[in-house]
Amino acid sequence: PEDPERDFIKRIVGLPGETIEVKGTQVLVNGAAIAQPFAHFLLPHDPADADDDDPREHFGPVTVPAGHFFAMGDNRDNSQD
């Protein structure tokens, strides 16, 4: 973070051994979409404008390594860390 005094809260969305993928605004864990009522986006997502090179719209699939977790913030397209 630019301001080290500022706290950034993240949510764990992936546990060790789980496969994580992001498609548009949807997060998939082991191929199943998860509910994300807490996720916030500045603009509505238009699948026709999706950018496959943008990790905010297309990420993975990756498997979370043993001893690690996969975390994401709520402000998905406006994170400052």
Side-chain angles (χ1 to χ4, degrees):
E2 291 179 17
D3 179 0
E5 298 298 316
R6 192 168 170 199
D7 291 328
F8 288 86
I9 309 301
K10 304 295 179 190
R11 296 177 193 270
I12 293 176
V13 296
L15 301 174
E18 292 182 327
T19 300
I20 308 298
E21 188 170 8
V22 175
K23 292 183 179 181
T25 59
Q26 188 60 63
V27 177
L28 295 100
V29 177
N30 295 329
I34 62 170
Q36 311 174 84
F38 45 79
H40 175 76
F41 300 91
L42 290 177
L43 300 171
H45 176 73
D46 182 355
D49 292 333
D51 181 355
D52 285 345
D53 293 328
D54 186 343
R56 294 173 298 179
E57 295 202 18
H58 181 78
F59 175 81
V62 297
T63 300
V64 181
H68 291 79
F69 299 93
F70 190 91
M72 298 179 78
D74 291 355
N75 295 311
R76 299 288 168 79
D77 57 358
N78 189 33
S79 183
Q80 296 181 7
D81 63 343

